C-alpha cells in the first residue's frame, strides 16, 4: 500500500535534482513498474518524483550530426510509431512495439523501461533471495525456466527490457544527471554492468541520479535492422530470448541477445566479423551460431534457451550476410 509516500512534479531540472536528493526519493515516469513494486512490498519510497514534465523530457530530436536524442519520458508507443525512428532505427521501433500491451506502451516511457526492475518470481514475491536481503539466488536450485544461461554473478535473473537490447546493438548511450548537476554518459551496453552482483539494483545509476535522455549515433542509422523476440505466448509477454541484429551502413554487424544474461549480451565480435565477411551458407551459419552459444551454462530448466538463441542467430546471420 502507498500510505505515506508523497508525490512531486518538478518543472525545472534544478527542482528535479533537489527533489531526487531527498532521502527515500524515487524517480517516477509512467508508474507501470514503480507502483507495482510498492504494492508488492518490495520498494518503500518516501517520495515519488515525477520526471515527465521536465523541459525536453518527451522530445525526440534529430541531432546536428544525424544522431537521435530521445528524452527519458518519451512513451514507448511514440517511439514505435515515430517516422524517423522507424526509417533509421528500425530495431528500436520494433523493440518498443514488442513491449507488453498497447496500454502499457502508452504509459511506459523509455527511461522507465530501462530502469525497471527484474521480473524474477522469487524477487517479486518477496522470497529472501540475493536481491531481497539473502545470500543466494533461489532460482539456482528452484524454478529457473526464465533465468540466465550466461551467468555473471550471484543473481540469475535476466533484465526484461526489450528496448535495451536494441539500444545496445545500436550503440546508444544513456545520458545521466546526478543530484549535484554532474552529467555523464554510459553506453547502454554497460548500463547493467554488475547487475547480477548488486543486491540493490540492476543499473549503474547512483543514488538520486536520473536518466535525462538516450542518444543514438548517426553511424547506427539505416542499414538492415531487426528485433526478434520469442515469447511463451503470442499476446503480450516478456522475452524468453530476443535478438537485435543489425548490418550497419558501413557493413559492420551487431548481434545482441536479450533474455539470456543479466543485461543485453553482445555476441563475440569475431563472430560478427565472420557474418560481415559475405554470403554464408547454411553450414557456416550453423557453426557460427553454435560457436556463439559455446559458453552458455544453462540451469536445470532453461536449456531450451540455448536452442532458441541459436535459432534466432541462425536466421539473422543468414539474412544479414546476404543484405
Ligand atoms: C503486464 C506487463 C507486461 C510487460 N511486458 C514487457 C515487455 O514485453 N517488454 C519490456 O521491455 N517491458 C515489459 N514490461 C515492463 C514495462 O515496459 C515497464 O514497466 C515500463 O516500460 C516502465 O516504464 P514507466 O515509464 O512506467 O516507468 P516507471 O514504472 O515509472 O519506472 C520504472 C523504474 O524506472 C525508474 N525511472 C523511471 N524514470 C526514470 C528516469 N528518468 N531516471 C531514472 N530512473 C527512472 C523508476 O524509479 C522505477 O524504478 C511489462 C510490464 C507489465 C506490467
Amino acid at each position: 500500500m502507498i500510505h505515506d509516500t508523497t508525490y512531486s512534479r518538478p518543472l525545472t531540472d534544478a527542482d528535479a535534482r533537489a527533489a531526487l536528493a531527498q532521502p527515500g526519493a524515487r524517480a517516477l515516469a509512467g508508474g507501470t513498474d514503480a507502483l507495482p513494486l510498492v504494492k508488492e512490498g518490495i520498494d518503500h519510497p518516501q517520495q515519488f518524483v515525477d520526471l515527465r514534465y521536465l523541459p525536453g523530457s518527451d522530445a525526440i530530436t534529430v541531432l546536428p550530426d544525424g544522431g537521435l536524442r530521445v528524452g527519458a519520458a518519451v512513451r514507448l508507443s511514440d517511439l514505435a510509431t515515430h517516422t524517423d525512428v522507424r526509417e533509421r532505427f528500425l530495431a528500436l521501433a520494433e523493440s518498443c512495439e514488442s513491449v507488453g500491451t498497447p496500454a502499457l506502451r502508452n504509459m511506459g516511457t523509455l527511461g522507465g523501461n530501462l530502469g525497471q526492475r527484474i521480473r524474477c518470481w522469487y524477487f517479486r514475491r518477496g522470497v529472501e533471495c540475493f536481491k531481497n536481503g539473502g545470500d543466494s539466488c533461489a532460482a539456482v536450485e528452484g524454478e529457473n525456466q526464465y533465468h540466465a544461461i550466461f551467468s555473471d554473478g550471484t543473481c540469475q535473473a535476466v533484465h526484461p527490457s526489450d528496448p535495451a537490447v536494441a539500444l545496445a546493438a545500436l550503440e546508444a548511450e544513456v545520458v545521466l544527471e546526478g543530484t549535484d548537476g554532474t552529467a555523464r554518459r554510459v553506453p547502454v551496453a554497460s548500463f547493467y554492468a554488475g547487475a547480477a552482483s548488486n543486491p540493490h539494483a540492476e543499473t549503474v545509476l547512483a543514488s538520486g541520479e536520473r536518466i535525462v535522455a538516450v542518444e543514438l549515433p548517426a553511424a547506427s542509422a539505416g542499414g538492415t535492422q531487426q528485433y526478434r523476440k520469442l515469447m511463451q505466448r503470442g499476446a503480450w509477454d516478456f522475452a524468453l530470448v530476443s535478438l537485435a541484429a543489425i548490418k550497419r551502413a558501413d557493413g559492420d554487424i551487431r548481434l545482441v541477445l536479450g533474455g539470456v544474461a543479466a543485461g543485453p549480451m553482445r555476441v563475440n565480435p569475431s563472430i560478427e566479423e565472420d557474418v560481415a565477411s559475405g554470403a554464408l551458407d547454411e553450414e557456416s551459419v550453423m557453426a557460427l551460431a553454435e560457436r556463439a552459444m559455446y559458453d552458455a551454462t544453462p540451469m536445470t530448466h532453461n536449456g531450451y534457451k540455448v536452442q532458441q538463441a541459436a535459432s534466432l542467430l541462425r536466421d539473422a546471420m543468414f539474412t544479414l550476410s546476404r543484405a
Side-chain angles (χ1 to χ4, degrees):
M1 297 287 288
I2 305 175
H3 283 307
D4 39 21
T5 305
T6 59
Y7 170 87
S8 71
R9 182 186 285 187
L11 301 178
T12 67
D13 292 339
D15 285 351
R17 289 195 294 272
L20 287 169
Q22 298 301 313
R26 192 80 69 250
L28 180 74
T32 60
D33 193 41
L35 297 179
L37 284 169
V38 175
K39 204 172 153 195
E40 289 159 10
I42 293 166
D43 196 16
H44 310 279
Q46 288 174 29
Q47 183 192 179
F48 271 129
V49 183
D50 193 334
L51 300 175
R52 289 174 298 174
Y53 299 87
L54 295 172
S57 65
D58 63 351
I60 301 176
T61 315
V62 178
L63 298 170
D65 68 356
L68 197 74
R69 181 179 171 95
V70 182
V74 170
R75 299 180 315 164
L76 300 175
S77 54
D78 291 333
L79 273 171
T81 53
H82 191 272
T83 307
D84 193 54
V85 177
R86 288 206 79 83
E87 277 176 9
R88 299 199 303 138
F89 299 100
L90 181 62
L92 175 60
E94 287 184 344
S95 70
C96 292
E97 203 169 25
S98 81
V99 171
T101 61
L104 193 78
R105 296 193 289 276
N106 280 334
M107 279 306 288
T109 64
L110 184 61
N113 183 276
L114 297 179
Q116 66 176 298
R117 300 294 314 269
I118 48 175
R119 306 303 299 191
C120 171
W121 39 36
Y122 294 110
F123 170 66
R124 292 272 171 169
R125 288 176 195 170
V127 171
E128 196 182 304
C129 68
F130 179 66
K131 296 271 181 179
N132 275 333
D135 295 328
S136 58
C137 175
V140 173
E141 301 288 331
E143 300 293 329
N144 48 44
Q145 288 89 326
Y146 304 133
H147 291 74
I149 53 172
F150 291 92
S151 177
D152 183 32
T154 306
C155 174
Q156 302 302 317
V158 297
H159 196 271
S161 169
D162 288 300
V165 179
L167 288 168
L170 292 165
E171 302 193 333
E173 290 185 329
V174 191
V175 182
L176 306 175
E177 189 185 68
T179 51
D180 62 356
T182 305
R184 65 179 178 132
R185 304 167 73 93
V186 177
V188 172
S190 309
F191 191 58
Y192 303 98
S197 308
N198 182 343
H200 307 297
E202 286 74 51
T203 71
V204 298
L205 279 171
S207 175
E209 196 173 34
R210 72 187 164 97
I211 302 170
V212 175
V214 173
E215 287 191 6
L216 294 103
S220 294
T224 305
Q225 305 191 9
Q226 55 175 238
Y227 181 74
R228 298 288 179 264
K229 171 176 173 180
L230 298 176
M231 300 178 285
Q232 189 158 28
R233 39 183 198 181
W236 69 265
D237 213 343
F238 293 93
L240 296 170
V241 176
S242 66
L243 175 70
I246 291 164
K247 181 165 187 177
R248 293 154 48 110
D250 63 10
D252 283 359
I253 301 278
R254 295 289 181 272
L255 297 167
V256 175
L257 288 162
V260 300
M265 201 198 82
R266 185 173 170 188
V267 164
N268 189 321
S270 72
I271 295 175
E272 295 174 339
E273 281 168 27
D274 285 348
V275 179
S277 68
L280 298 173
D281 58 23
E282 275 185 37
E283 206 178 317
S284 312
V285 160
M286 300 267 283
L288 284 174
E290 200 176 313
R291 206 170 106 207
M293 303 312 295
Y294 184 75
D295 291 328
T297 51
M299 293 183 283
T300 40
H301 303 299
N302 66 2
Y304 72 93
K305 284 195 177 193
V306 179
Q307 308 308 323
Q308 287 192 330
S311 159
L312 285 177
L313 282 169
R314 282 195 297 270
D315 283 353
M317 288 169 171
F318 199 77
T319 306
L320 293 189
S321 75
R322 284 168 166 67

